[in-house]
Amino acid sequence: MTAEAIAVRNCTELEDFRACVALQKEVWGFADNELVPLRIFSLAPKIGGQVIGAWTGGTLAGFALSIPGNRNGHPYLHSHMLAVKEPYRNTGLGRRIKLFQREDAIAQGYELLEWTFDPLEIKNAYLNLERLGAIARRYNINQYGITSSPLQGSLPTDRLVAEWWLTSKRVETLLSSGKHPAFAGEERVAVPADIYAWKAHPETRQKAADVQLGNREKFLAAFARGLACLGYERDANGNGTFLLGRWDEDWSYAGK
Ligand SMILES: CC(C)(COP(=O)(O)OP(=O)(O)OC[C@H]1O[C@@H](n2cnc3c(N)ncnc32)[C@H](O)[C@@H]1OP(=O)(O)O)[C@@H](O)C(=O)NCCC(=O)NCCS
């Protein structure tokens, strides 16, 4: 299955939004009362947000949902969900949806797209930092409370905030050359590949909780020192490592 056979476009019709809600349920396995409902999908594009779908024939293979945000007077987009249906994963479709999202955001006048991600998800961290060029320098402890999603394994929903500065040197260099600009690594935070298995089984869940807690402390300490996650390494066994350093660009809405 290649991503090329799939059309990525803005969703506009109720039927599109219904398909997004159904795929959301399939991908995360949420209980019905934890699903983002149809009415939010249909509202988002009307208020400066985005619902982007990837379609193959009549099947929705993936979607992204963003809602508008505002920080210190600066409008930005918060990308709340990105999902790719199982058989279509690891073919570049998630990245393709994000790149469409970027173009659409720039066309709407946005500079920044943000989203949160679970720092224990090795694949997502790699996609966000290495393939898209997002950075992360904020950490939210147990952002959504403990959810019913099996992906979460009953752990607190700790999240890193990905900041995707759409026209930064970092992103433009990465998109044009395949590599982000070099930086001096000052800190590393490791996530073992076994984390998925540990989360999945009640008898090993404590090990996953220990990694989460240890890494939480490392991230909070590093961010307090002004470091940001700027890179991500994967080894041959599937282990992941965040690489932290000082970002040499001054994109920020924090103090502005
Ligand atoms: C996250 C998700 C949207 C990614 O979609 P996708 O279409 O598989 O993503 P892509 O193929 O564009 O990119 C994934 C990258 O991670 C790599 N990857 C795959 N498995 C990996 C692993 N175990 N560890 C590290 N990287 C991995 C892929 O090789 C690919 O990189 P490449 O382009 O250099 O080959 C999809 O996996 C998904 O729906 N997951 C469940 C929901 C979720 O977690 N959503 C995101 C948070 S809201």
Side-chain angles (χ1 to χ4, degrees):
M1 182 69 55
T2 65
E4 271 57 52
I6 296 173
V8 178
R9 62 166 171 82
N10 282 306
C11 294
T12 51
E13 305 301 320
L14 271 178
E15 282 316 306
D16 297 344
F17 305 138
R18 272 197 191 100
C20 292
V21 175
L23 183 53
Q24 175 196 178
K25 192 168 169 65
E26 180 182 321
V27 166
W28 277 276
F30 286 131
D32 282 356
N33 64 356
E34 286 178 336
L35 287 172
V36 175
L38 180 68
R39 52 181 72 197
I40 296 293
F41 280 88
S42 61
L43 179 71
K46 295 187 169 64
I47 58 166
Q50 302 168 310
V51 179
I52 294 162
W55 297 87
T56 170
T59 303
L60 183 68
F63 74 88
L65 165 70
S66 312
I67 50 178
N70 188 302
R71 182 165 305 113
N72 296 320
H74 297 272
Y76 69 97
L77 276 171
H78 178 84
S79 176
H80 185 53
M81 293 188 141
L82 169 69
V84 170
K85 202 175 166 74
E86 191 92 63
Y88 302 95
R89 289 190 191 163
N90 296 322
T91 61
L93 184 57
R95 183 167 180 273
R96 208 175 135 203
I97 295 171
K98 293 301 286 186
L99 294 179
F100 185 99
Q101 195 182 36
R102 172 177 178 269
E103 292 296 332
D104 184 77
I106 291 171
Q108 290 194 55
Y110 290 108
E111 294 176 316
L112 171 65
L113 244 158
E114 283 191 355
W115 60 93
T116 59
F117 67 101
D118 182 345
L120 299 181
E121 290 287 331
I122 294 171
K123 174 180 166 182
N124 295 6
Y126 173 77
L127 174 63
N128 294 336
L129 299 172
E130 285 295 323
R131 301 287 285 135
L132 298 173
I135 66 154
R137 52 188 166 181
R138 281 141 62 204
Y139 192 95
N140 298 338
I141 297 171
N142 198 21
Q143 174 157 336
Y144 303 112
I146 292 173
T147 75
S148 60
S149 172
L151 298 185
Q152 199 57 41
S154 306
L155 293 188
T157 43
D158 284 20
R159 294 289 182 265
L160 281 169
V161 181
E163 298 173 36
W164 205 20
W165 291 96
L166 302 172
T167 56
S168 61
K169 181 185 70 182
R170 175 177 162 85
V171 171
E172 293 199 329
T173 305
L174 178 67
L175 296 186
S176 61
S177 71
K179 287 198 163 125
H180 51 68
F183 61 93
E186 291 191 31
E187 195 71 65
R188 298 166 71 88
V189 178
V191 181
D194 286 337
I195 197 82
Y196 297 105
W198 292 345
K199 274 201 294 189
H201 302 289
E203 58 280 10
T204 50
R205 214 159 264 164
Q206 189 53 45
K207 283 184 170 186
D210 291 345
V211 172
Q212 185 185 54
L213 198 59
N215 285 0
R216 178 194 288 175
E217 283 164 12
K218 285 183 195 158
F219 282 122
L220 290 172
F223 295 160
R225 290 203 290 130
L227 300 183
C229 299
L230 297 176
Y232 200 82
E233 272 176 12
R234 300 178 296 177
D235 71 15
N237 299 318
N239 302 301
T241 305
F242 288 90
L243 308 175
L244 291 88
R246 290 180 196 275
W247 195 29
D248 62 0
E249 296 182 69
D250 61 2
W251 293 93
S252 171
Y253 291 159
K256 292 182 189 170

